[in-house]
Amino acid sequence: MNPEHPLVAIYPGSFDPVTLGHQDIARRTLSFADRTIVAVARRATHQKAPLFTLEERLEMLAEVFADEPRIECEAFDGLLVDFAHARGARFIIRGLRAVADFEYELQMAQMNRELSDQVETLFLIPDLAYSFLSASLVREVAGLGGDVSRFVSGPVLLRLRERVGT
Ligand code: ADP
């Protein structure tokens, strides 16, 4: 690491709530980034009503990454590339699970490149155990009373139980 030019990555998403798949991706970034900012979008792009408020999502993120000082969690508004510039980030991190993610992710990465050539999008793949996992599935299964303890960490499980009453 060059302390004068730390390599900063931004991992954006809605994290409603953060899953073990998200955690796996965020921790993987630390093999090449000095610092990673997990950035929670204030405005969801494709989801109507979130299950958790922005503050709750940030609290859960802070809890699950409490042991890792190189991962910070923050909310952002507006264009992701503007936020990346403001934080001096060189990389936008996205997770790729299956082919289904690919088209949307490619479109978004191309658009972000049009908007700024100074930020590079990097795609990481999660551990196989999480390659089918999404926050929306976790919300759905938890809402129906299913056991999601293998997909989220302790603090998230507690909040899910409080919220959906299972
Ligand atoms: P989700 O798709 O689970 O609702 P987000 O919209 O918050 O989550 O996604 C943020 C980023 O994390 C996206 O790039 C998404 O593809 C990635 N991601 C989400 N879940 C996983 C997972 N299980 N493995 C790898 N990447 C994931």
Side-chain angles (χ1 to χ4, degrees):
M1 163 174 168
N2 175 348
E4 277 171 35
H5 300 286
L7 219 155
V8 181
I10 295 212
Y11 178 32
S14 39
F15 305 102
D16 183 31
V18 58
T19 68
L20 294 183
H22 295 130
Q23 289 173 230
D24 182 63
I25 294 290
R27 288 182 195 272
R28 280 175 196 282
T29 63
L30 298 179
S31 66
F32 57 87
D34 296 311
R35 268 193 316 122
T36 292
I37 302 171
V38 178
V40 187
R42 258 180 214 285
R43 233 173 334 139
T45 43
H46 49 248
Q47 193 191 326
K48 285 169 207 128
L51 182 62
F52 292 101
T53 65
L54 180 70
E55 287 69 30
E56 288 170 328
R57 285 179 271 155
L58 284 167
E59 280 166 20
M60 286 185 274
L61 283 164
E63 284 163 7
V64 302
F65 293 122
D67 64 326
E68 184 42 81
R70 291 197 290 150
I71 297 181
E72 297 157 29
C73 310
E74 228 187 294
F76 79 99
D77 240 341
L79 280 179
L80 179 60
V81 290
D82 291 342
F83 181 67
H85 289 160
R87 294 291 175 274
R90 289 269 313 283
F91 300 116
I92 291 172
I93 308 297
R94 298 290 290 176
L96 276 186
R97 286 160 290 199
V99 189
D101 278 340
F102 187 74
E103 203 169 329
Y104 173 70
E105 293 292 343
L106 184 65
Q107 230 179 3
M108 215 159 48
Q110 290 288 10
M111 179 53 83
N112 281 331
R113 177 171 287 166
E114 290 297 317
L115 295 170
S116 167
D117 213 11
Q118 290 160 35
V119 192
E120 210 59 66
T121 301
L122 298 185
F123 295 106
L124 299 184
I125 54 167
D127 187 287
L128 197 57
Y130 309 128
S131 58
F132 61 95
L133 184 58
S134 71
S136 58
L137 256 183
V138 164
R139 292 196 301 273
E140 196 173 329
V141 171
L144 294 170
D147 177 15
V148 291
S149 58
R150 274 179 300 130
F151 310 129
V152 296
S153 50
V156 178
L157 192 63
L158 277 178
R159 299 228 191 192
L160 268 171
R161 284 188 176 142
E162 275 169 24
R163 184 59 38 98
V164 300
T166 56

